[in-house]
Amino acid sequence: MKRIPRATAGLALPVAALVPAVTLMVADPATASESSHSAKPTVVLVHGAFADASGWSKVVQSLQAQGYPVIAGANPLRSLSGDSDYLAALLKTIKGPVVLAAHSYGGAVITNAAAGNPNVKSLVYIAGFAPDKGETTLELAAKFPGSRLTDDPQAPVPTALNAVPFGGGPNDVDLYIKPEKFSDVFLSHRVDRDRAAVLAASQRPPGTLTGSEQTKAVAWKSIPSWYLVATDDRTIGTDNLRFMAKRAGSTTVEVDAPHDVMETNSGEVTDLILRAAQDSRPSLAQTGSGARATVLGGVAVVAIAGGAFLVVRSRRA
């Protein structure tokens, strides 16, 4: 048996030991990275005006069936600033990544509440407001035709709404969609009469400050967003939804549905939230995999070079 000279053997051992050692060093962080990215984010669902958290029931059930932790909290519907502060406080109690989805007025709330929170990885607007700084929801609903909240822009209260005072202050007023208008404005006559009557009777009213307070922070400028445009939206107006989705640079889908798209098309709503939760764009996980391949390639080069060196030395010996 041909022996390798001692000097060469002394070099061969470190080279042989280097490959598995470096491979383990590279593999372990990558494995840990893959494990950390396998954990599902918490999905937080925020309802809008004239509705409550029960409107998310079908979506919650679908997300939970796929292993996602879900919170469908109560939106106070008192004022944009107060509702946003309330949600921001809730978000701070959640550990790990968050996908934040909202319907209707809830979109304005998440736009303000998520700003500056590094745990919020994705925003999902479901026929929702995505205001810019200084804008109000009532201004956005009137930007392009399509909303049927009022047929008189000069009316002090939108003509499809009933104003119900609950206190002595000028802003202590709740707004309800008139029962005879509810099926048209909120549902575009897409559900049967009995179901529409139940939803009209159980609506949660927003206070006037939800529509008149200006947006102070804009999360969609720094957080990736997804947007579902309901093409038969008579509450905000489809063209207004399209305008906001385009301005935010959102990944957008259009669905033939009314404003209350969770009621009629919960599957499409769930699908978009899942797309946001499983974002396939370049990420740290993908970058890590690429780095791992690069380093392993470097190790292979070292091994080959070391082997060639050994062959040359052995032939000379």
Side-chain angles (χ1 to χ4, degrees):
M1 182 176 69
K2 191 171 183 178
R3 297 193 177 205
I4 298 177
R6 181 173 297 181
T8 307
L11 177 63
L13 181 58
V15 172
L18 177 65
V19 175
V22 175
T23 300
L24 287 173
M25 290 169 63
V26 175
D28 284 350
T31 302
S33 176
E34 290 168 4
S35 175
S36 65
H37 282 277
S38 66
K40 288 180 168 61
T42 298
V43 179
V44 177
L45 306 172
V46 182
H47 69 82
F50 316 117
D52 60 25
S54 66
W56 293 106
S57 295
K58 296 175 185 177
V59 176
V60 170
Q61 186 176 15
S62 296
L63 292 172
Q64 288 179 336
Q66 298 196 46
Y68 284 88
V70 182
I71 298 173
N75 185 356
L77 303 181
R78 296 293 84 194
S79 66
L80 180 56
S81 58
D83 297 342
S84 300
D85 289 345
Y86 182 90
L87 178 59
L90 172 64
L91 294 175
K92 289 178 182 178
T93 68
I94 302 171
K95 295 182 180 180
V98 171
V99 172
L100 190 53
H103 176 241
S104 191
Y105 161 72
V109 176
I110 69 171
T111 296
N112 285 265
N117 187 328
N119 284 348
V120 179
K121 304 304 181 184
S122 305
L123 303 172
V124 187
Y125 293 92
I126 306 299
F129 285 106
D132 203 345
K133 189 173 182 179
E135 292 179 338
T136 70
T137 58
L138 284 178
E139 288 173 356
L140 285 168
K143 189 173 186 66
F144 300 107
S147 172
R148 298 190 184 182
L149 286 174
T150 189
D151 54 18
D152 180 3
Q154 305 304 317
V157 176
T159 57
L161 305 181
N162 280 327
V164 179
F166 62 84
N171 295 312
D172 295 337
V173 178
D174 274 340
L175 300 171
Y176 290 83
I177 298 178
K178 295 175 180 178
E180 67 273 17
K181 297 280 190 179
F182 193 90
S183 181
D184 177 39
V185 172
F186 206 65
L187 301 167
S188 302
H189 299 299
R190 298 290 188 105
V191 304
D192 65 65
R193 183 179 301 178
D194 290 343
R195 178 60 179 164
V198 169
L199 293 172
S202 57
Q203 61 180 294
R204 282 274 314 282
T208 56
L209 287 177
T210 62
S212 61
E213 274 194 335
Q214 295 182 343
T215 292
K216 296 179 180 179
V218 186
W220 51 257
K221 289 188 175 180
S222 58
I223 301 173
S225 61
W226 281 253
Y227 205 110
L228 186 150
V229 172
T231 60
D232 192 13
D233 190 306
R234 303 177 187 179
T235 304
I236 296 176
T238 298
D239 285 344
N240 292 318
L241 299 180
R242 287 174 175 147
F243 164 76
M244 290 183 281
K246 182 177 181 180
R247 181 177 64 178
S250 304
T251 299
T252 303
V253 298
E254 295 203 351
V255 176
D256 180 18
H259 182 66
D260 191 5
V261 61
M262 291 102 67
E263 176 70 23
T264 60
N265 298 75
S266 63
E268 285 87 345
V269 172
T270 303
D271 287 346
L272 187 61
I273 294 171
L274 288 173
R275 286 179 61 184
Q278 301 163 359
D279 183 11
S280 60
R281 291 173 301 172
S283 64
L284 289 177
Q286 292 173 325
T287 302
S289 298
R292 180 185 181 191
T294 301
V295 176
L296 286 174
V299 172
V301 171
V302 171
I304 292 169
F309 177 75
L310 292 177
V311 171
V312 172
R313 288 293 300 270
S314 63
R315 286 179 179 176
R316 288 178 179 176

